[in-house]
Amino acid sequence: MSEVTFSKEGNIGIIFVNNPPVNALSQAVRAGLQSGVEQGLADNDVEAMVILCGGSTFIAGADIREFGKPSQPPALPDVVYFMEDSPKPMIAAIHGTALGGGLEVALSCHFRIAAPTAKVGLPEVKLGLLPGAGGTQRLPRIAGVKAALEMIVSGDPISAQKTKTIGIIDEIAEGDLKTAALAYAKRIVTEKTPLRKVREMAAKVDSPTQFEDFAKSIARSKRGFIAPFKCIEAIRASVEMSFDEGMKQERTLFEGLRQGTQSGAQRHVFFAEREVVKVPGLPKDLATRDIKIVGILGAGTMGGGIAMCFANAGIPVRLLDMKQEFIDRGLGVIRKNYSNTVAKGRLAQEDMDQRMALIMPTLSYEDLKDVDLVIEAVFEDMAVKKEVFGKLEKICKPGAILASNTSYLNIDDIAAATGRPQDVVGMHFFSPANVMRLLENVRGAKTADDVKATVMKIGKKIGKVPVMVGVCDGFVGNRMLGKRSRECGFMLEEGALPTQIDKVIFDFGFPMGPYAMSDMAGLDVGWRNRKAKFNELTKREQDNNLLDKICEMGRYGQKTGAGFYKYDDKRNTTPDPLIEELILQHSKDRGIVRRVITDQEILERALYSMINEGAKILEEGIAARPVDIDAVYLYGYGFPAYHGGPMFYADTVGLKNIYEAILKYKDLVGAEYWTPSPLLEKLAKEGKGFYSM
Ligand code: 3HC
Ligand code: NAI
């Protein structure tokens, strides 16, 4: 069956789009729409045309996979212009989501009717683009500049009810959409309703500085991104230029973005999120285990956040800790988190009450008898973990999945403490667990395939981006981060200061630099970890003891008011001369002559050390694909989406350049830290990238 078909019901032509899964506007769909309108115009019996879609949604936008390729006619702006020019009424009948090019098609129709559950939006900005088929010119004309700025720059969809209020949708359908749309079309014909061409309307500003003010309001949240600011520029054209000139301006800006590296990276991110859940080697149709009730051990920082994730998804939780006071404290934090969301108007009080009611606190392991999945989030100590898993084995029903949220410990060793290692798996959430989207699911040597499939599925269900990784110290994320921390520590003693390093990493696009981040997480966490692994460190790493010195001063970061920086009551950060003095003295004591370290060197050592480790992780099969590593960094560590993740970024820099830099740092810092991974070396010499292996 072709993607677009034309048929008639009485005097109404139906242009039916059927291009699963989301009716994206591939070349065939664009051509089909054009030809559908032509057929309707040529047929004297047809007095109006309805565009209707099959499957779960109206057109969800351009076919994103086509953006990297040369464009094939007909171009969407021409198709929609042709539609709008039709002398016979064109009606869009919307269900599901009319997104991007889909909404642009609808805006070019003369009338729009939508199912009550429909949503519309222009999410191009999330792909590093702007609407490229008249969205920036037609939306401000029909919905006003304010609504257009909000919708186009945020990219977030809005509900059918709201779109009716702001004029995008003319009618909300009652009952079957097709029946309602046909009736609406007949009414338009009978009543001879004048055609409304959005392009003939005028867009007006609400104030002379509306665009500047809006740009200022997003300066912080959209830092580093190009597209949101280009969206504003394009919308401005709708007010200051004629429609045709505005369209030209939109096209120029769109093409500039489409060909730029940011959009390439953001399109990669879109597909990465969907790709990681398809774990190589796991059959797509593998039956998963039913997860109806979840047990969580430990009501601390992580346990509380994890409990919220499940309660948010409507899944009942049994939250266990050792003492009533720990339970009370944990529940108190959960309640406070929800209350803050209610206060901000982002959650209804009754929804909060429902979620709280789903979390049942307990001190008794007996209450874990009937749970389908337990996630352990107790102290990071192998002896404690083994003891806990030993208890779980005895209590939990056969087939229950026993998961650990450990950050570093070996899942296989934990599994060995039970008689059912096939049921044991890592589920490594990131702090704050109710906010961060990454979930590193760690497969043990004996973890059963259906357990792996189940933790991927449940991860997606609770709104996470689950990534399957193998067992190693720190898994993917923390193992790579360890290399960055080491290099930054070395650079501090060689000549850099925390402020310089943090600025370079912040300017690259991370939400914060490594020292601000450590201060926020609590320096004692890293310190404890360092002490536990001290004997495995090299001599230089052992001597690089600035963290020990700072922690010994009782400075654990934000929570104690001081760490690498000083903090006031409102947690505002200021550099501390005392710490700078400590660093200078440290270099002196170690006989290191401090030198100027350029920002470029900081960036390279911080990022290339991680990329080289990422390559090793691929060689060892800890991550199956570069996309898994990118997803870990995008969703767990705030890697800027416009760089696409460390492995994608490496390809944009060129592996040859990275390889040469690694050799330079090998000479400068030492082979034990900077030996290129054989995979990276091979790809660099072959002129390939991680994504073109
Ligand atoms: N192009 C190509 N493939 C697309 C696509 C698109 N626009 N939208 C979704 N897909 C693919 C996904 O990659 C996925 O493929 P897979 O099954 O092989 O992994 C499949 O369709 C299903 O997608 P989801 O898993 O995301 O399905 P959901 O039901 O969860 O969500 C959706 C559906 C809300 C439509 C969501 O897919 C979505 O937001 N899509 C992107 C919409 C978008 O960004 N549109 C704007 C495109 S740019 C544009 O229109 C430019 C224009 O202005 C010129
Ligand atoms: P936490 O100290 O805040 O909470 C641990 C909780 O476990 C405490 O409430 C404690 O009373 C309870 N507990 C300890 N032993 C117990 C036992 N035998 N039975 C029942 N409850 C017990 O610790 P946090 O930070 O929540 O860490 C928990 C786990 O999550 C650790 O393995 C840690 O490595 C891991 N993790 C921590 C992250 C973080 O940023 N804090 C991030 C990702 C993982």
Side-chain angles (χ1 to χ4, degrees), residues 485-496 530 534-548 586-587 590-595 597 601 605 665-674:
S485 306
R486 178 202 71 212
E487 278 310 301
C488 291
F490 286 176
M491 286 189 281
L492 283 187
E493 55 184 16
E494 288 169 33
R530 176 176 156 82
F534 194 75
N535 292 335
E536 296 158 33
L537 301 179
T538 64
K539 171 85 172 62
R540 180 166 179 192
E541 286 168 330
Q542 288 183 344
D543 290 346
N544 190 283
N545 59 357
L546 284 161
L547 180 68
D548 306 341
H586 169 88
S587 306
R590 292 217 44 232
I592 299 170
V593 179
R594 292 178 69 82
R595 64 186 169 88
I597 302 202
E601 180 176 340
R605 286 175 66 177
Y665 295 123
K666 185 177 174 187
D667 290 341
L668 185 77
V669 191
E672 56 198 319
Y673 311 111
W674 283 97

Side-chain angles (χ1 to χ4, degrees), residues 100-180:
L103 179 56
E104 290 172 307
V105 165
L107 288 175
S108 308
C109 289
H110 309 113
F111 306 96
R112 285 154 292 278
I113 178 166
T117 49
K119 286 185 172 173
V120 309
L122 291 170
E124 286 86 344
V125 73
K126 297 184 182 180
L127 301 167
L129 294 168
L130 51 81
T136 65
Q137 303 307 298
R138 287 193 179 88
L139 192 63
R141 283 179 160 82
I142 191 167
V145 170
K146 182 170 180 288
L149 280 168
E150 280 165 9
M151 278 180 72
I152 295 174
V153 174
S154 74
D156 295 334
I158 57 174
S159 68
Q161 312 299 333
K162 181 150 186 223
T163 50
K164 182 144 194 286
T165 322
I166 60 175
I168 301 177
I169 300 291
D170 305 293
E171 292 269 321
I172 302 283
E174 290 194 4
D176 176 60
L177 178 64
K178 182 177 171 190
T179 313

Side-chain angles (χ1 to χ4, degrees), residues 297-303 320-322 326 329 365 376-380 384-385 387-388 391 405-408 428-431:
L297 290 185
T301 310
M302 295 307 291
L320 181 146
D321 210 304
M322 294 183 294
F326 302 153
R329 189 187 53 199
Y365 275 77
E376 160 281 308
V378 304
F379 300 138
E380 184 77 344
V384 181
K385 304 268 190 209
E387 185 205 320
V388 161
K391 280 190 196 156
N405 181 49
T406 178
S407 311
Y408 291 94
H428 183 207
F429 290 77
F430 285 70
S431 184

Side-chain angles (χ1 to χ4, degrees), residues 300-310 312 334 337 429 432-435:
T301 310
M302 295 307 291
I306 298 169
M308 288 176 77
C309 296
F310 285 94
N312 294 349
I334 295 174
N337 282 337
F429 290 77
N434 54 317
V435 177

Side-chain angles (χ1 to χ4, degrees), residues 448-621:
D449 277 356
D450 67 337
V451 170
K452 294 177 201 163
T454 306
V455 293
M456 294 303 285
K457 189 173 164 190
I458 195 81
K460 201 161 175 224
K461 187 165 178 193
I462 60 173
K464 300 293 172 199
V465 178
V467 181
M468 183 58 73
V469 303
V471 173
C472 66
D473 187 24
F475 314 123
V476 168
N478 285 342
R479 173 170 160 185
M480 285 167 68
L481 196 71
K483 305 301 167 195
R484 183 179 90 171
S485 306
R486 178 202 71 212
E487 278 310 301
C488 291
F490 286 176
M491 286 189 281
L492 283 187
E493 55 184 16
E494 288 169 33
L497 289 172
T499 41
Q500 188 193 2
I501 292 178
D502 277 357
K503 181 169 186 314
V504 170
I505 300 299
F506 178 80
D507 287 348
F508 178 75
F510 278 93
M512 52 180 85
Y515 294 104
M517 190 180 92
S518 305
D519 271 0
M520 196 181 75
L523 297 184
D524 48 327
V525 178
W527 192 30
R528 216 177 305 127
N529 199 25
R530 176 176 156 82
K531 283 195 270 194
K533 296 205 175 102
F534 194 75
N535 292 335
E536 296 158 33
L537 301 179
T538 64
K539 171 85 172 62
R540 180 166 179 192
E541 286 168 330
Q542 288 183 344
D543 290 346
N544 190 283
N545 59 357
L546 284 161
L547 180 68
D548 306 341
K549 288 177 183 162
I550 293 173
C551 287
E552 278 156 14
M553 292 156 78
R555 299 171 67 120
Y556 289 171
Q558 288 194 8
K559 61 186 169 192
T560 57
F564 279 94
Y565 298 98
K566 282 192 292 195
Y567 299 89
D568 64 16
D569 304 347
K570 295 194 179 113
R571 304 211 161 178
N572 291 318
T573 317
T574 26
D576 192 341
L578 192 139
I579 293 298
E580 297 187 1
E581 184 48 42
L582 182 88
I583 294 170
L584 301 188
Q585 188 61 43
H586 169 88
S587 306
K588 212 168 166 187
D589 294 346
R590 292 217 44 232
I592 299 170
V593 179
R594 292 178 69 82
R595 64 186 169 88
V596 172
I597 302 202
T598 63
D599 289 356
Q600 184 63 20
E601 180 176 340
I602 292 177
L603 193 65
E604 289 181 359
R605 286 175 66 177
L607 294 182
Y608 298 177
S609 54
M610 292 205 295
I611 291 164
N612 196 29
E613 197 64 17
K616 291 181 189 170
I617 283 172
L618 285 176
E619 271 160 20
E620 294 166 22

Side-chain angles (χ1 to χ4, degrees), residues 298-490:
T301 310
M302 295 307 291
I306 298 169
M308 288 176 77
C309 296
F310 285 94
N312 294 349
I315 301 171
V317 170
R318 310 265 158 83
L319 182 61
L320 181 146
D321 210 304
M322 294 183 294
K323 288 190 183 165
Q324 190 60 42
E325 59 186 288
F326 302 153
I327 288 277
D328 293 343
R329 189 187 53 199
L331 279 179
V333 173
I334 295 174
R335 193 171 293 112
K336 197 170 134 211
N337 282 337
Y338 278 137
S339 299
N340 287 343
T341 317
V342 171
K344 285 179 194 152
R346 286 197 261 133
L347 182 71
Q349 181 64 47
E350 62 187 80
D351 290 336
M352 166 176 165
D353 297 342
Q354 265 175 22
R355 292 178 196 192
M356 285 304 296
L358 283 171
I359 304 174
M360 180 189 124
T362 177
L363 293 169
S364 164
Y365 275 77
E366 282 294 309
D367 286 327
L368 302 181
K369 254 184 168 158
D370 58 345
V371 301
D372 306 292
L373 161 71
V374 191
I375 302 173
E376 160 281 308
V378 304
F379 300 138
E380 184 77 344
D381 179 317
M382 185 52 100
V384 181
K385 304 268 190 209
K386 283 189 171 171
E387 185 205 320
V388 161
F389 272 78
K391 280 190 196 156
L392 289 176
E393 183 195 7
K394 291 194 187 73
I395 294 286
C396 292
K397 66 183 181 190
I401 297 177
L402 313 180
S404 172
N405 181 49
T406 178
S407 311
Y408 291 94
L409 300 175
N410 189 311
I411 295 294
D412 290 331
D413 292 349
I414 296 175
T418 74
R420 35 172 137 161
Q422 72 281 3
D423 296 334
V424 178
V425 68
M427 288 181 80
H428 183 207
F429 290 77
F430 285 70
S431 184
N434 54 317
V435 177
M436 297 300 290
R437 291 195 64 208
L438 177 63
L439 171 62
E440 263 184 338
N441 282 329
V442 189
R443 53 180 142 80
K446 295 189 179 160
T447 308
D449 277 356
D450 67 337
V451 170
K452 294 177 201 163
T454 306
V455 293
M456 294 303 285
K457 189 173 164 190
I458 195 81
K460 201 161 175 224
K461 187 165 178 193
I462 60 173
K464 300 293 172 199
V465 178
V467 181
M468 183 58 73
V469 303
V471 173
C472 66
D473 187 24
F475 314 123
V476 168
N478 285 342
R479 173 170 160 185
M480 285 167 68
L481 196 71
K483 305 301 167 195
R484 183 179 90 171
S485 306
R486 178 202 71 212
E487 278 310 301
C488 291
F490 286 176

Side-chain angles (χ1 to χ4, degrees), residues 64-299:
I64 303 168
R65 292 185 198 274
E66 286 186 359
F67 284 140
K69 304 176 190 157
S71 53
Q72 299 288 329
L76 189 60
D78 298 336
V79 175
V80 299
Y81 198 95
F82 179 63
M83 257 176 206
E84 197 176 33
D85 243 6
S86 157
K88 297 183 183 178
M90 299 290 312
I91 296 114
I94 300 171
H95 74 295
T97 42
L99 298 177
L103 179 56
E104 290 172 307
V105 165
L107 288 175
S108 308
C109 289
H110 309 113
F111 306 96
R112 285 154 292 278
I113 178 166
T117 49
K119 286 185 172 173
V120 309
L122 291 170
E124 286 86 344
V125 73
K126 297 184 182 180
L127 301 167
L129 294 168
L130 51 81
T136 65
Q137 303 307 298
R138 287 193 179 88
L139 192 63
R141 283 179 160 82
I142 191 167
V145 170
K146 182 170 180 288
L149 280 168
E150 280 165 9
M151 278 180 72
I152 295 174
V153 174
S154 74
D156 295 334
I158 57 174
S159 68
Q161 312 299 333
K162 181 150 186 223
T163 50
K164 182 144 194 286
T165 322
I166 60 175
I168 301 177
I169 300 291
D170 305 293
E171 292 269 321
I172 302 283
E174 290 194 4
D176 176 60
L177 178 64
K178 182 177 171 190
T179 313
L182 286 173
Y184 183 44
K186 281 186 182 136
R187 209 169 77 221
I188 288 164
V189 171
T190 320
E191 292 175 4
K192 295 191 169 46
T193 315
L195 303 192
R196 191 164 64 141
K197 293 185 187 177
V198 176
R199 72 168 186 250
E200 289 172 356
M201 300 166 79
K204 290 189 208 74
V205 282
D206 304 317
S207 84
T209 55
Q210 186 166 12
F211 294 108
E212 288 79 3
D213 295 344
F214 193 82
K216 265 188 222 151
S217 74
I218 60 157
R220 222 173 119 193
S221 60
K222 306 290 180 196
R223 175 178 66 92
F225 288 91
I226 300 171
F229 300 93
K230 295 288 175 194
C231 288
I232 301 177
E233 221 176 302
I235 299 167
R236 182 174 208 140
S238 74
V239 175
E240 296 179 354
M241 295 179 183
S242 69
F243 179 81
D244 289 343
E245 281 169 343
M247 284 300 289
K248 276 195 204 133
Q249 170 79 337
E250 181 191 84
R251 185 86 325 225
T252 308
L253 294 170
F254 177 84
E255 277 304 319
L257 290 173
R258 185 179 71 84
Q259 289 162 25
T261 53
Q262 286 207 350
S263 177
Q266 288 178 255
R267 274 150 30 210
H268 162 70
V269 173
F270 176 84
F271 289 113
E273 182 177 334
R274 287 156 180 83
E275 195 59 28
V276 285
V277 292
K278 300 168 196 157
V279 178
L282 279 188
K284 226 173 141 185
D285 49 1
L286 189 69
T288 51
R289 300 189 188 180
D290 255 4
I291 306 295
K292 294 203 186 85
I293 309 179
V294 175
I296 293 170
L297 290 185

